[in-house]
Amino acid sequence: MARVADRKPYHVDFAELMRVYETNYAKLNALLPTQPSVGDVRCYQAASMSYQIQVGEVTKYTTLVDICQSDDVPIFPLPKMSVRLYHDARVAEVCSSEYLNRVKARYDYPNDKMVQKDEKAQLNRFLGDWLSFCLRHGISRTPLNI
């Protein structure tokens, strides 16, 4: 007789998510201008793919950047995402993605968009992996003012 698997409710691992936010903040700051202003763009070439980070908003305590792949025909497309950097807390989190206007902490599953229960955590881990990739293999198309 087949047994139905027990489904445990998903709980956000806050400590792990904060570690991801903190490391993403440090990585993203390394790729941004020292004193960013609205409209600043940084382009990176990594493994024959082009990526762009554009500053969309700057306030006293936060900076909002849009990240996208700028290739004409992307081989492995990076989802467009908006990331907010909180300078007082020194964290960065994905606020929206190509297919989500606002990323919630957790989702019921199944849902209309078939978003995973831990979509926010997955997007932020993906951002961390992508930032590491750019820092390791990327070449800036604009001079970095350090």
Side-chain angles (χ1 to χ4, degrees):
M1 183 169 191
R3 289 184 63 194
V4 177
D6 292 332
R7 290 189 183 183
K8 295 179 183 177
Y10 171 72
H11 295 287
V12 176
D13 184 349
F14 188 70
E16 192 266 335
L17 195 56
M18 288 305 292
R19 278 191 296 276
V20 171
Y21 287 171
E22 289 169 353
T23 56
N24 285 352
Y25 180 86
K27 292 173 187 176
L28 197 49
N29 262 326
L31 296 172
L32 286 173
T34 308
Q35 295 293 323
S37 59
V38 175
D40 283 351
V41 176
R42 285 286 192 250
C43 296
Y44 294 93
Q45 186 78 30
S48 75
M49 293 175 277
S50 300
Y51 303 101
Q52 176 178 302
I53 301 173
Q54 181 172 7
V55 178
E57 177 185 292
V58 177
T59 65
K60 186 175 182 179
Y61 297 108
T62 67
T63 301
L64 181 70
V65 297
D66 295 315
I67 301 173
C68 66
Q69 192 165 355
S70 55
D71 292 319
D72 292 333
V73 181
I75 300 168
F76 301 107
L78 169 78
K80 293 178 184 176
M81 59 179 72
S82 294
V83 179
R84 185 167 303 275
L85 290 89
Y86 298 91
H87 303 297
D88 53 344
R90 303 186 63 78
V91 296
E93 79 169 317
V94 176
C95 298
S96 67
S97 183
E98 192 168 337
Y99 52 91
L100 294 171
N101 292 335
R102 187 175 75 79
V103 182
K104 296 180 189 175
R106 70 176 201 74
Y107 292 88
D108 291 329
Y109 190 82
N111 54 59
D112 297 354
K113 295 184 179 183
M114 294 306 290
V115 178
Q116 297 297 312
K117 292 178 180 183
D118 63 341
E119 191 76 15
K120 184 176 200 108
Q122 287 186 39
L123 280 170
N124 282 284
R125 284 192 303 266
F126 175 78
L127 174 64
D129 292 343
W130 178 80
L131 291 170
S132 294
F133 174 74
C134 280
L135 287 167
R136 259 188 244 120
H137 305 290
I139 299 169
S140 175
R141 290 189 184 167
T142 53
L144 297 176
N145 299 329
I146 299 175

